[in-house]
């Protein structure tokens, strides 16, 4: 497991990145703001506090995945630190995998910290909650796995800014794929139908991972809504990492 | 025994939007580096030195040709266990401290090393005091040294150093030179590129000169530069002013430095004559140094001839 050095290094790099601190602080502020919203909630305060906090966790961790993830590979190439790594007995696929796992370890930590903060908010506001409240965060982790793999994939051949923009666009479209399907069904134009169907079937459907609404409104969640997105997330991650390996393997430094 | 063997190594980079423009960085280069020797890869900027070293460590793939390191190809990542590589102008993870970087490098080799070993290596390269400093605060020379510590931490058999003396002051260069000699004594094979010819002259068992990706010369320093003495340098003192014109008549140059004089001459006969004059005039002889053509002098003449030929 030589690539554990890559995991450790990626984790330390992100941990010492100022962006992380800034985004975590923004996350805390967003969650703390629910305390001030409570008087304006007109009886819906429990739902608003839960929804706002879960959305904050989602928003912050997605931003971290896109902003830090987009720089993961390119930065190593640009700053020539890649020479230090690939001149060692490390295979190129180990490097990509190490980068991915390091970033996921960080995101796991971020979700953990923000979830603890969420717990504190619930305690302070006296909002009741059970363990089901953690389910959106579990699926968020698998959604972040796809986003991180997308960012790594783009990062193997574009600049950090472009990789982040591409990843953000795909994240955005990924949450609208159901609308794309609906568009394909109602549209009378065959071109629109083909394009909408093509996008629906080729882009990751990230809306599958969003069960915040159901949890907040205490709608029963079927078992399939949990484990199918998990399998879906794993398959997309493996596919994207595989294509990242293929691109990276051919590169000269 | 050859520890690194390259045969007809060629690297062509493609540039431009459609990748149609070809740049030949290395052209049919053959090299044999023997175990335990120091081999210097010399040449002007753009000669293909760095590209050659990158291909040897597996950072770039040859367009054609063969590389064998201890009988295996560089794409076999396991072979890189035996290589310590210091890139040109080393860039490291700025958010790490010196100690952390060396520890992490050992991990990349798949080796657990003790703190004692890390301290030993940091001591060896003179970086023990800066071990807890973030790399972003290191000077160029410090980065060079910590890079060497990373090369040495797992005691690899082969060290590949790309411009190891680049950016160092004279004292730093001397320290790195001494370290390289020490490593050779410890049985390491060292291949390094340099544009500082005096360093190469002092260190290398053999050198190869690259120009525009092609090896134009290879051999020991004396094979390349020649053993021929072209000048003698005599340093003396205590000779009265009245006798100096006679010395000046025989010498090619006569220069005063403090209370000493330095006379130079080209012929052996004149040298003997000068020495006897100094003795007869009651002078004191401090040194007699035969001067051979330096690698630097050879290199400049060679490059000029090459340019004139074009």
């Amino acid at each position: 497991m030589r690539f554990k050095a890559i995991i450790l290094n990626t984790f330390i790099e992100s941990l010492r990145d100022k962006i992380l601190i800034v985004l975590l602080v923004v996350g805390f502020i967003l969650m703390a703001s629910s305390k001030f919203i409570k008087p304006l909630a007109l009886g819906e305060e429990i739902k608003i506090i839960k929804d706002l906090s879960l959305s904050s966790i989602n928003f912050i961790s997605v931003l971290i995945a896109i902003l830090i993830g987009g720089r993961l590979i390119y930065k190593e190439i640009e700053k020539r630190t890649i020479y230090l790594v690939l001149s060692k007995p490390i295979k190129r696929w180990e490097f990509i995998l190490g980068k991915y796992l390091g970033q996921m370890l960080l995101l796991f930590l971020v979700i953990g910290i923000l979830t603890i903060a969420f717990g504190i908010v619930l305690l302070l506001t006296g909002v009741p909650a059970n363990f089901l409240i953690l389910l959106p965060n579990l699926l968020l982790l698998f959604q972040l796995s796809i986003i991180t793999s997308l960012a790594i994939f783009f990062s193997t051949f574009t600049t950090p800014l472009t990789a982040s923009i591409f990843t953000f666009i795909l994240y955005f479209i990924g949450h609208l794929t159901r609308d794309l399907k609906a568009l394909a069904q109602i549209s009378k134009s065959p071109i629109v139908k083909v394009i909408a169907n093509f996008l629906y079937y080729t882009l990751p459907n990230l809306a599958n991972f969003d069960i915040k609404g159901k949890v907040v409104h205490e709608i029963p969640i079927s078992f399939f809504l949990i484990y199918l997105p998990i399998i879906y997330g794993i398959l997309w991650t493996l596919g994207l990492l595989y294509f990242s390996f293929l691109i990276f393997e051919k590169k000269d430094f | 025994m050859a520890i690194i063997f390259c045969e007809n190594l060629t690297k062509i980079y493609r540039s431009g939007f459609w990748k149609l423009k070809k740049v030949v960085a290395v052209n049919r280069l053959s090299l044999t580096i023997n175990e335990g020797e120091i081999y210097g890869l010399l040449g002007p900027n753009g000669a293909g030195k760095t590209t050659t070293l990158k291909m040897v460590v597996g950072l770039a793939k040859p367009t054609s040709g063969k590389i064998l390191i201890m009988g295996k190809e560089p794409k076999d990542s396991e072979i890189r266990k035996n290589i310590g590589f210091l890139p040109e102008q080393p860039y490291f993870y700025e958010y790490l401290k010196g100690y952390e970087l060396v520890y992490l490098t050992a991990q990349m080799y798949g080796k657990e090393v003790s703190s004692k070993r890390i301290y030993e290596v940091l001591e060896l390269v003179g970086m023990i005091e800066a071990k807890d400093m973030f790399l972003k605060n290191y000077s160029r020379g410090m980065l060079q040294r910590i890079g060497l510590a990373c090369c040495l931490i797992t005691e690899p058999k082969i060290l590949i150093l790309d411009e190891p003396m680049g950016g160092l002051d004279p004292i730093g260069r001397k320290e790195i030179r001494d370290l390289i000699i020490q490593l050779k004594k410890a049985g390491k094979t060292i291949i390094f590129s340099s544009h500082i010819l005096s360093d190469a002259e002092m260190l290398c068992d053999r050198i190869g000169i690259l120009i525009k990706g092609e090896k134009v010369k290879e051999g020991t320093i004396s094979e390349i530069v020649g053993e021929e003495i072209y000048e003698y340098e005599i340093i003396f003192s205590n000779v009265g002013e009245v006798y100096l014109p006679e010395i000046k008549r025989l010498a090619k140059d006569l220069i005063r430095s403090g209370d000493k004089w330095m006379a130079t001459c080209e012929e052996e006969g004149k040298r003997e004559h000068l020495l006897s004059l100094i003795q007869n005039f009651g002078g004191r002889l401090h040194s007699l140094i035969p001067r051979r053509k330096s690698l630097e002098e050879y290199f400049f003449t060679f490059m000029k001839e090459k340019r004139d030929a074009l």
Side-chain angles (χ1 to χ4, degrees):
Chain A
M1 283 268 287
R2 269 189 289 263
F3 65 91
K4 74 178 180 191
I6 312 291
I7 300 174
L8 179 69
N9 187 30
T10 309
F11 183 66
I12 295 174
E13 177 182 12
S14 307
L15 215 55
R16 291 182 181 170
D17 197 323
K18 282 178 188 139
I19 285 184
L20 179 73
I21 309 295
V22 172
L23 290 175
L24 277 176
V25 170
V26 171
F28 294 145
I29 293 170
L30 282 172
M31 279 196 251
S33 67
S34 57
K35 192 169 169 58
F36 306 102
I37 288 170
K38 200 178 170 184
L40 310 170
L42 303 170
E44 292 289 325
E45 62 265 20
I46 292 175
K47 284 171 190 160
I48 285 182
I49 288 170
K50 283 180 182 174
D51 200 20
L52 186 65
S53 296
L54 287 171
S55 298
S56 303
I57 295 172
N58 191 98
F59 174 68
I60 296 300
S61 49
V62 165
L63 267 187
I64 289 172
I66 292 175
L67 294 179
I68 297 184
R71 296 186 298 172
L72 277 180
I73 308 289
Y74 187 87
K75 203 172 152 192
E76 295 257 10
I77 300 170
E78 192 192 24
K79 296 212 160 187
R80 300 189 208 173
T81 45
I82 194 111
Y83 294 175
L84 182 77
V85 183
L86 294 184
S87 59
K88 306 289 175 290
I90 286 178
K91 293 182 178 74
R92 293 191 178 194
W93 67 262
E94 288 179 317
F95 176 73
I96 296 278
L97 191 62
K99 282 275 159 194
Y100 162 79
L101 291 174
Q103 172 79 346
M104 286 311 294
L105 187 63
L106 173 87
L107 290 167
F108 186 77
L109 180 77
V110 166
I111 292 179
I113 291 170
L114 291 174
T115 304
I116 291 169
F118 178 35
I120 294 168
V121 169
L122 291 179
L123 275 176
L124 292 177
T125 50
V127 172
N130 57 25
F131 80 96
L132 286 174
I133 201 80
L134 297 175
L135 278 179
N137 289 351
L138 174 71
L139 289 193
L140 173 63
L141 205 59
F142 286 90
Q143 182 184 185
L144 292 173
S145 172
I146 296 180
I147 295 169
T148 300
S149 310
L150 271 174
I152 286 177
F153 172 72
F154 289 126
S155 181
T156 55
F157 59 90
T158 60
T159 62
L161 181 65
T162 319
S164 296
I165 291 170
F166 283 172
T167 310
F168 182 76
I169 290 170
L170 284 188
Y171 168 76
F172 188 71
I173 299 174
H175 279 275
L176 297 173
T177 48
R178 282 177 193 158
D179 298 333
L180 284 171
K181 196 178 183 189
L183 179 69
Q185 280 166 353
I186 58 166
S187 176
K188 283 172 186 159
S189 159
I191 297 167
V192 173
K193 272 183 191 292
V194 169
I195 293 172
N197 273 323
F198 175 77
L199 290 174
Y200 175 74
Y201 288 108
T202 52
L203 298 181
N205 183 349
L206 300 178
N208 285 340
F209 297 92
D210 190 1
I211 54 166
K212 285 195 302 292
K214 290 189 172 70
V215 169
V216 169
H217 292 92
E218 293 175 354
I219 298 166
I221 300 166
S222 90
F223 187 54
F224 294 108
L225 282 181
I226 305 297
Y227 86 80
L228 279 181
I230 290 176
I231 294 170
Y232 184 77
I234 292 170
L235 290 176
W236 261 98
T237 301
L238 290 175
L240 286 166
L241 289 180
Y242 177 69
F243 283 110
S244 306
F245 300 152
L246 290 185
I247 295 168
F248 201 64
E249 189 63 31
K250 287 194 168 68
K251 268 190 175 306
D252 270 335
F253 301 104
Chain B
M1 184 194 146
I3 199 161
I4 298 175
F5 175 76
C6 306
E7 191 179 50
N8 287 330
L9 203 56
T10 299
K11 180 70 192 177
I12 299 169
Y13 286 107
R14 289 179 178 273
S15 63
F17 186 75
W18 301 107
K19 306 272 180 198
L20 293 174
K21 200 180 162 196
K22 285 183 182 176
V23 180
V24 181
V26 176
N27 192 14
R28 298 176 65 79
L29 174 70
S30 295
L31 282 179
T32 303
I33 317 283
N34 299 315
E35 192 168 356
E37 79 171 337
I38 303 182
Y39 188 95
L41 211 50
L42 312 179
N45 290 341
K49 306 184 294 287
T50 297
T51 306
T52 304
L53 298 184
K54 279 185 190 173
M55 285 192 282
V56 172
V57 295
L59 285 168
K61 294 181 187 76
T63 308
S64 63
K66 186 162 81 174
I67 305 173
L68 293 176
I69 302 158
M70 299 166 80
K72 292 189 172 169
E73 292 185 15
K75 68 179 177 191
D76 179 351
S77 63
E78 288 303 305
I79 201 66
R80 296 201 288 268
K81 274 183 182 170
N82 301 295
I83 300 176
F85 175 59
L86 177 71
E88 186 185 8
Q89 293 181 359
Y91 289 91
F92 298 116
Y93 301 106
E94 293 180 338
Y95 49 83
L96 292 181
K97 295 173 183 173
Y99 179 94
E100 291 173 338
L101 179 75
V102 180
Y103 171 78
L104 206 71
T105 306
Q107 294 270 309
M108 288 180 198
Y109 278 99
K111 285 194 178 175
E112 282 296 334
V113 289
S114 63
S115 297
K116 192 174 159 249
R117 171 68 192 149
I118 297 175
Y119 285 130
E120 261 172 30
V121 172
L122 288 170
E123 186 81 59
L124 187 69
V125 297
M127 288 299 290
I128 195 79
E129 300 289 326
K131 69 181 193 314
D132 292 323
M133 262 171 77
F134 281 105
L135 297 182
K136 65 180 170 195
N137 299 321
Y138 276 23
S139 68
R140 173 90 193 272
M142 289 165 93
L143 287 172
Q144 207 81 345
R145 285 156 191 267
I146 203 78
L148 272 169
C150 293
C151 283
L152 300 173
I153 185 66
T154 56
E155 301 185 83
K157 284 185 182 153
I158 306 167
L159 293 168
I160 297 179
L161 314 172
D162 196 359
E163 300 279 357
M165 263 77 89
L168 295 181
D169 58 24
I171 295 167
R173 269 169 51 200
K174 188 193 174 303
E175 284 171 358
I176 299 295
R177 267 200 319 260
D178 292 347
L179 181 62
I180 290 175
I181 292 167
Q182 203 179 324
L183 292 166
K184 179 187 158 63
K185 282 181 189 161
K188 309 284 180 206
T189 304
I190 301 160
I191 168 166
F192 76 91
S193 76
S194 183
H195 64 273
I196 303 170
L197 299 170
S198 55
D199 290 333
E201 192 166 14
M202 276 184 253
L203 290 171
C204 296
D205 295 312
R206 286 193 305 138
I207 58 166
I209 298 176
L210 296 189
I211 294 176
K212 291 187 178 165
E214 288 184 35
K215 186 174 75 182
V216 291
K217 209 91 178 170
E218 187 182 49
T220 61
I221 301 280
S222 56
E223 277 169 2
I224 288 179
V225 176
E227 289 288 358
E228 199 187 325
I229 295 161
Y230 78 101
E231 196 176 67
Y232 294 96
E233 181 189 286
I234 304 164
I235 298 176
F236 62 94
S237 61
N238 283 351
V239 172
E241 293 280 333
V242 285
Y243 302 119
L244 287 174
E246 198 165 345
I247 291 176
K248 198 170 185 175
R249 191 176 53 81
L250 279 169
K252 189 176 134 198
D253 280 311
L254 182 66
I255 303 161
R256 184 174 195 153
S257 171
D259 59 344
K260 290 180 189 146
W261 289 89
M262 185 182 81
T264 54
C265 65
E266 288 168 349
E267 293 159 32
E268 227 171 295
K270 281 186 180 173
R271 179 197 69 191
E272 289 308 311
H273 200 161
L274 275 169
L275 289 174
S276 63
L277 276 180
I278 292 163
Q279 199 178 10
N280 292 343
F281 297 152
R284 189 177 157 211
L285 181 70
H286 291 279
S287 66
L288 166 66
I289 303 166
R291 281 169 60 173
R292 290 178 178 85
K293 204 171 198 177
S294 73
L295 183 59
E296 198 156 79
E297 284 158 335
Y298 168 81
F299 197 75
F300 286 128
T301 317
F302 184 79
M303 290 301 291
K304 193 172 176 295
E305 282 169 8
K306 280 271 164 195
R307 265 199 300 271
D308 293 345
L310 285 172

